[in-house]
Amino acid sequence: MQQKFLPYGRQLIEDDDIEAVAAVLRGDYLTTGPTVAAFETALAARLDAPFAVACSSATAGLHLAAMALGLDQGDVAIVPANTFLATANAIRYVGADVVFSDVDPDTGLSTATHFEAATKKASGPVKVILPVHFAGQAQGPEEIRKVAERQGAKIIEDACHAIGAEYDRNGVRSKIGACLDSDMAVFSFHPVKTIAMGEGGAVTTRDAGLAEKLSRFRSHGMVRDATRFSQQDMATDTSGGLNTWYYEMSELGFNYRASDIHCALGLSQLRKLDRFVAHRNDLADHYDHLLAPIASVVRPLRRIAGSSPAWHLYVALFDFQAIGKSRAQVMAELQMLGVGTQVHYVPVPHQPYYRALYGNGEYPGAEAYYSRCLSLPMFASMSHDDATHVVDSIVRVLNS
């Protein structure tokens, strides 16, 4: 029997997810309705955060977070060199500058030491640091917060990989997204992530003022709260009563709303988060065991002490030089054996846009990580047998 193809990531949609979306389709609200609020309430409760604001994507969430902090030209944000483009791009959307921090070559994560070093390269005030919980691990949130405090900077966690992850905080298990060591945390619900909305994201925070700004900026900057109106002559009728149709826009916003359709799927998937995280973590443990005999040439990311990961990616580090094959060749041969792989990520400062803007910086950790990384299949419907097939296929490629 031919082996099924295993992509590097895939959503798991079940009958109750389909019914949740169908119920919205049969209802009165396809967008800006009660399911959005229900999802936000459930997400905030699950992550131990007072506020959650749903939006159309995590990229939108990062942009909204930058806007909510008032970042502008002349401000500087510190962003890890190893991340998806959106983390840095959201800073550029508001006109601020990016300084890239290097990363640990064995985890792909920036440590507090990396962030501290990056602050010394900033040409202006460092207003925000953006730790990226790459692959689902968190690297020292408390230590990174101390770096930010010394700079008078805020923290936006890029937690797009890490819903369900936790870390040890003063001996207490704390959830990523509770924002105990940050100002905001941004999540992604893209189909390859742990839970899916199709497209969608959210921002959590403990700050009511930031939550209000996030909500306002995601909907064109509009307000309908009469206490915030500045043009009372337009807001009221001749008898002094409020014009029910009236709204104001004092600041520019965007259409970054999430629909009830997407939030219905997100709400249904959120109920399965513990199951999905447990299964992904079990797969990671199984991969670790299977790779142990070939660890001299293929090994997992180093595990972070004090971090309880929620694995979004299973990244293996390959010694392609010792193997005697290029990464492209290994990927192609695995593809022929039914195994899909991916590279996460090309270092962002090496992208043409950022090289043209900031020149050719040196990021030895990110470059060493990038030269070896390959993401193996990891998703909720995978079995141990599937993971075994992946590693057996890797061994075949090594020996061919």
Side-chain angles (χ1 to χ4, degrees):
M1 183 176 69
Q2 186 175 5
Q3 172 70 34
K4 63 185 177 183
F5 182 77
L6 298 169
Y8 92 86
R10 172 190 286 155
Q11 71 276 9
L12 174 57
I13 302 298
E14 298 172 318
D15 287 346
D16 56 341
D17 300 314
I18 295 169
E19 179 52 37
V21 174
V24 168
L25 294 174
R26 288 191 289 264
D28 294 328
Y29 294 93
L30 298 186
T31 192
T32 62
T35 309
V36 176
F39 173 68
E40 291 174 332
T41 298
L43 181 65
R46 177 60 179 78
L47 299 180
D48 292 344
F51 306 101
V53 177
C55 51
S56 56
S57 68
T59 302
L62 288 163
H63 188 190
L64 289 169
M67 292 175 67
L69 291 181
L71 295 184
D72 205 345
Q73 292 185 2
D75 295 336
V76 173
I78 310 295
V79 174
N82 179 48
T83 185
F84 184 55
L85 301 170
T87 318
N89 289 356
I91 301 304
R92 295 297 300 143
Y93 294 162
V94 297
D97 279 307
V98 175
V99 170
F100 291 102
S101 59
D102 204 3
V103 304
D104 185 306
D106 294 326
T107 65
L109 292 157
S110 287
T111 65
T113 301
H114 291 121
F115 284 121
E116 186 77 62
T119 65
K120 294 176 170 53
K121 298 188 292 182
S123 59
V126 176
K127 291 295 185 70
V128 64
I129 294 174
L130 290 95
V132 175
H133 305 316
F134 176 71
Q137 289 197 105
Q139 172 70 65
E142 289 179 282
E143 289 73 24
I144 293 170
R145 175 176 54 80
K146 292 173 185 176
V147 175
E149 287 174 346
R150 288 194 290 271
Q151 295 289 321
K154 303 293 187 180
I155 292 181
I156 301 170
E157 298 175 80
D158 184 333
C160 293
H161 290 190
I163 189 167
E166 299 178 343
Y167 67 102
D168 181 48
R169 186 177 191 271
N170 298 324
V172 178
R173 190 68 62 82
S174 301
K175 295 178 181 178
I176 294 296
C179 300
L180 296 174
D181 290 298
S182 69
D183 297 275
M184 289 173 279
V186 181
F187 294 89
S188 171
F189 307 116
H190 183 277
V192 297
K193 300 300 197 301
T194 302
I195 64 172
M197 283 174 60
E199 287 284 0
V203 186
T204 59
T205 183
R206 308 190 75 79
D207 187 313
L210 289 175
E212 188 279 326
K213 289 180 180 179
L214 293 165
S215 297
R216 175 158 41 94
F217 288 141
R218 76 172 170 186
S219 189
H220 302 282
M222 292 192 305
V223 294
R224 297 181 182 274
D225 179 359
T227 63
R228 299 176 61 86
F229 291 160
S230 61
Q231 301 177 149
Q232 292 299 322
D233 58 328
M234 295 187 67
T236 56
D237 61 21
T238 55
S239 65
L242 184 67
N243 290 324
T244 56
W245 66 86
Y246 186 71
Y247 56 86
E248 286 187 357
M249 187 196 86
S250 297
E251 296 178 89
L252 188 64
F254 293 83
N255 183 358
Y256 281 165
R257 295 186 299 264
S259 76
D260 284 59
I261 299 170
H262 291 92
C263 287
L265 179 56
L267 186 58
S268 180
Q269 290 261 299
L270 185 62
R271 299 186 185 107
K272 309 174 189 189
L273 178 60
D274 289 342
R275 168 162 62 101
F276 287 175
V277 168
H279 185 67
R280 284 170 171 269
N281 288 351
D282 178 61
L283 283 173
D285 290 344
H286 189 55
Y287 266 133
D288 288 354
H289 172 73
L290 294 170
L291 289 176
I294 56 171
S296 62
V297 287
V298 183
R299 58 187 176 84
L301 294 178
R302 182 170 57 80
R303 303 310 192 234
I304 302 298
S307 176
S308 298
W311 293 110
H312 157 52
L313 298 173
Y314 189 88
V315 179
L317 300 175
F318 284 66
D319 186 342
F320 293 107
Q321 186 173 1
I323 292 168
K325 295 181 179 182
S326 70
R327 176 163 48 197
Q329 186 177 357
V330 169
M331 292 177 75
E333 292 183 17
L334 287 173
Q335 179 93 3
M336 293 293 293
L337 295 172
V339 176
T341 55
Q342 188 53 273
V343 175
H344 296 93
Y345 295 98
V346 177
V348 181
H350 291 342
Q351 293 295 339
Y353 171 84
Y354 287 105
R355 274 186 160 158
L357 197 61
Y358 301 125
N360 294 322
E362 294 184 0
Y363 307 93
E367 288 153 9
Y369 164 79
Y370 171 63
S371 70
R372 297 174 295 154
C373 67
L374 197 60
S375 297
L376 307 181
M378 164 78 81
F379 48 91
S381 59
M382 270 186 70
S383 66
H384 276 206
D385 286 347
D386 291 331
T388 299
H389 171 68
V390 171
V391 177
D392 286 347
S393 298
I394 291 171
V395 172
R396 285 181 62 181
V397 170
L398 297 182
N399 293 333
S400 64

